[in-house]
């Protein structure tokens, strides 16, 4: 699982040379982290789903005043082509967020969405308990990820962003 978190953090931000000395805090089972080589703070959560063959699910969220980045890792995916752009409807347990959003394949189990910063999107994420991706023409790879306490995690992420140095 730690290897999956590391892969998610690599995919979420650009890496610079030098050692990584993270500053971490926890909100429930979310990790809020500012690593020295990253430009922004990350909120990440990972879990195994016993109802899905004990597969790993990981989500990493980071943002700036310009963009929101969401990385989703699911070890049940087997994407073929790194760099491929997929289209998916994005929703929460109670609201649609975006239709036909672009998601880039990062590796065989990871996709990344980069969206223009939108406070209403952050508000919807903060109220959510689940985040779903419904891929076009691909029900088999569509996913619903559990994100409990997302509001608290996003508040901690905002605090981290405002106080990063």
């Amino acid at each position: 699982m730690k290897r999956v978190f590391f892969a998610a953090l690599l995919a979420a931000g650009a890496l610079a040379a030098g050692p990584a000395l993270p500053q971490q805090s926890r909100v429930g089972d979310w990790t809020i982290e500012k690593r020295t080589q990253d430009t922004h703070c990350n909120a990440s959560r990972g879990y195994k789903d016993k109802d899905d063959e004990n597969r790993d699910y990981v989500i990493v969220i980071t943002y700036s005043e310009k963009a929101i980045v969401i990385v989703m890792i699911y070890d049940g995916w087997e994407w073929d082509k790194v760099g491929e752009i997929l289209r998916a409807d994005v929703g929460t347990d109670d609201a649609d967020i975006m239709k036909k959003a672009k998601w880039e394949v990062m590796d065989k189990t990871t996709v990344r969405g980069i969206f223009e910063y939108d406070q209403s999107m952050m508000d919807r994420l903060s109220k959510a308990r689940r985040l779903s991706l419904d891929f076009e023409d691909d029900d088999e790879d569509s996913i619903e990820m559990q994100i409990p306490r997302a509001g608290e995690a996003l508040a901690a992420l905002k605090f981290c962003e405002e106080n990063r140095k």
Side-chain angles (χ1 to χ4, degrees):
M1 177 72 88
K2 288 184 183 195
R3 185 175 63 164
V4 173
F5 270 120
F6 180 70
L9 293 174
L10 287 175
L15 296 178
L21 301 173
Q23 299 171 348
Q24 279 189 354
S25 61
R26 304 275 302 166
V27 174
D29 58 356
W30 287 85
T31 300
I32 312 303
E33 182 174 47
K34 169 62 180 108
R35 298 178 330 149
T36 56
Q37 77 269 29
D38 288 339
T39 307
H40 295 282
C41 299
N42 300 306
S44 59
R45 177 180 191 273
Y47 64 97
K48 288 188 179 287
D49 187 341
K50 64 181 171 144
D51 295 329
D52 185 16
E53 300 176 20
N54 227 21
R55 291 193 167 136
D56 288 321
Y57 288 71
V58 178
I59 185 167
V60 180
I61 302 173
T62 190
Y63 76 94
S64 70
E65 66 279 350
K66 295 179 182 175
I68 301 168
V69 179
I70 301 173
V71 175
M72 296 179 86
I73 300 170
Y74 170 58
D75 73 6
W77 281 332
E78 292 189 19
W79 303 114
D80 294 328
K81 204 167 161 186
V82 171
E84 179 180 7
I85 301 299
L86 308 170
R87 297 283 183 169
D89 294 341
V90 183
T92 65
D93 37 323
D94 64 355
D96 289 336
I97 293 178
M98 192 176 302
K99 295 282 187 188
K100 298 184 181 185
K102 291 182 185 177
W103 291 82
E104 179 183 5
V105 174
M106 303 303 294
D107 64 32
K108 76 177 196 163
T109 62
T110 307
V111 296
R112 175 179 66 185
I114 301 175
F115 311 99
E116 185 175 322
Y117 183 85
D118 179 345
Q119 185 59 49
S120 66
M121 183 177 181
M122 294 298 284
D123 293 343
R124 287 185 199 117
L125 285 171
S126 71
K127 295 174 187 166
R129 285 180 256 127
R130 290 182 301 278
L131 183 66
S132 62
L133 296 183
D134 185 11
F135 290 102
E136 284 185 336
D137 304 322
D138 197 350
D139 289 335
E140 189 175 302
D141 287 323
S142 295
I143 190 170
E144 186 173 277
M145 193 165 290
Q146 305 300 317
I147 56 170
R149 297 181 73 175
E152 293 172 58
L154 291 174
L157 181 59
K158 180 178 181 180
F159 180 81
C160 180
E161 275 297 308
E162 290 171 349
N163 294 288
R164 66 183 162 83
K165 299 219 186 260

